[in-house]
Amino acid sequence: MTHDIAVIPGDGIGTEVTPAAVEVLEALEIDFEFHEADAGDAVKAETGEALPEETDDLAASADATLFGAAGDTAADVILPLREAVDSFVNVRPATAYPGIDAVRPETDLVFLRENTEGVYAGHEDRLSEDVSTLTRVVTESASRRLAEFACDYVEDGAHDGFTIVHKANVMRETDGRFRDTVAEVADERGVATDEVLMDAFATRVCLDPEQFDVVVCPNLAGDVLSDLAAGLVGGLGLLPSANVGPERGLFEPVHGTAPDIAGEGIANPAATILSAAMLVEFLGYDEAGAAVREAVEATLEEGPRTPDLGGDASTDEVTAAIVDRL
């Protein structure tokens, strides 16, 4: 079976780490057909559109999409792409790897973040020279869909349950609805849950990350708190993510375009290759995805490493080492 994969490198180091991930995917015994398309700052400067219609259509029709990074146009690119694949959950693991200098080397957790609404729904207004407003949207249907995914996730992965992170003590109607709906679904499914206020979570995860495993949270909270967790494991350059829809997925590193090193050939490809591992597993190839992850972990531990991790290797050298280990 051939799988059509949309490849959207974007800007900055996205144009370096995305080809690295494709090289790793090509080393697997899976029939992929890659289709590259443009998005981001560079294409907007050339055409006036950050996300050309043909790129959006490609993501909407491909079996999965591998995305690199976008600069100033990130919101104009990634939000519509997530919508194109009907992504309702953003899966962000935060894991400390052997051999990497981490603030909290015991960290091993995953965020399941609602991906369609909250403050990212886009309802902003400038009412006057003095006043701007933002409308936060939380629906029972989106919260329920996330909760069902979370229950499936913990059952498939043999986790004990999950933690609901929210701010319902202040945002009583919106986060209250989110919390109540997620807890209700978990109760219906017989999945154990606990709950933590998001500000308390920010402190507790830094002091003792081992108390958390799977974290379910609204859109903005998931975005911010997963970046906080990145600081515990060695930085954004190590975090992959998956935007999962019912039939399609969009896979991307959490890091940005890194303009300070773009074009130098020293970008760390680990997060993008780990995102590619999640893509492979999404398509049903669990053993191949695990093999990619193991090859990345061995390379992170034993080298070679890029300068951000204290080494002197290039992106190509690290990629070649991962492919060799496969």
Side-chain angles (χ1 to χ4, degrees):
M1 178 180 180
T2 300
H3 299 284
D4 290 317
I5 308 298
V7 180
I8 308 173
D11 302 309
I13 63 169
T15 63
E16 302 168 52
V17 295
T18 308
V22 170
E23 186 177 340
V24 171
L25 290 175
E26 288 176 333
L28 302 174
E29 295 181 356
I30 301 173
D31 190 5
F32 290 122
E33 186 168 335
F34 298 99
H35 309 271
E36 187 165 325
D38 295 322
D41 297 357
V43 70
K44 182 177 182 179
E46 182 179 343
T47 68
E49 292 182 298
L51 183 65
E53 183 177 354
E54 55 268 28
T55 301
D56 192 63
D57 290 344
L58 176 62
S61 61
D63 296 311
T65 297
L66 184 64
F67 177 69
D72 293 338
T73 58
D76 300 320
V77 174
I78 194 60
L79 296 182
L81 283 177
R82 289 172 180 168
E83 185 176 347
V85 302
D86 192 20
S87 167
F88 61 90
V89 58
N90 182 235
V91 183
R92 287 191 177 186
T95 302
Y97 298 104
I100 301 301
D101 186 18
V103 174
R104 288 292 185 185
E106 68 273 29
T107 305
D108 185 12
L109 56 117
V110 61
F111 292 86
L112 304 181
R113 164 193 171 196
E114 202 289 317
N115 215 26
T116 66
E117 50 186 31
V119 296
Y120 291 178
H123 303 300
E124 289 191 89
D125 289 293
R126 184 184 294 271
L127 301 184
S128 70
E129 289 296 319
D130 186 51
V131 179
S132 295
T133 63
L134 171 62
T135 300
R136 188 169 191 262
V137 178
V138 173
T139 65
E140 182 174 346
S141 55
S143 302
R144 177 168 286 274
R145 187 156 68 156
L146 172 64
E148 294 284 2
F149 181 94
C151 291
D152 291 340
Y153 187 92
V154 299
E155 290 172 349
D156 292 345
H159 300 274
D160 292 333
F162 58 80
T163 300
I164 307 169
V165 175
H166 60 82
K167 193 64 177 170
N169 61 326
V170 174
M171 296 179 285
R172 296 171 183 171
E173 287 299 325
T174 50
D175 265 26
R177 180 185 292 274
F178 175 85
R179 177 201 58 198
D180 293 347
T181 302
V182 174
E184 179 182 347
V185 172
D187 185 61
E188 292 169 357
R189 295 280 298 270
V191 173
T193 64
D194 61 345
E195 60 179 87
V196 181
L197 295 175
M198 67 175 70
D199 45 353
F201 175 89
T203 299
R204 289 174 56 182
V205 75
C206 293
L207 295 174
D208 181 18
E210 286 186 294
Q211 65 186 291
F212 300 111
D213 181 16
V214 178
V215 179
V216 178
C217 47
N219 204 335
L220 177 61
D223 194 1
V224 174
L225 294 174
S226 61
D227 278 16
L228 182 151
L232 302 180
V233 303
L236 290 174
L238 297 172
L239 263 63
S241 75
N243 301 280
V244 176
E247 297 180 4
R248 295 176 173 82
L250 170 70
F251 302 84
E252 55 171 329
V254 176
H255 65 67
T257 58
D260 55 323
I261 61 168
E264 297 183 16
I266 58 171
N268 184 354
T272 311
I273 295 173
L274 290 169
S275 298
M278 298 177 79
L279 180 155
V280 169
E281 291 167 337
F282 174 78
L283 294 175
Y285 301 95
D286 290 345
E287 290 185 6
V292 172
R293 188 173 292 105
E294 290 167 5
V296 172
E297 291 176 1
T299 303
L300 289 172
E301 182 174 10
E302 302 170 16
R305 299 178 187 147
T306 46
D308 61 305
L309 298 179
D312 58 6
S314 68
T315 305
D316 289 345
E317 290 169 336
V318 171
T319 304
I322 293 170
V323 171
D324 285 346
R325 286 185 165 97
L326 279 174

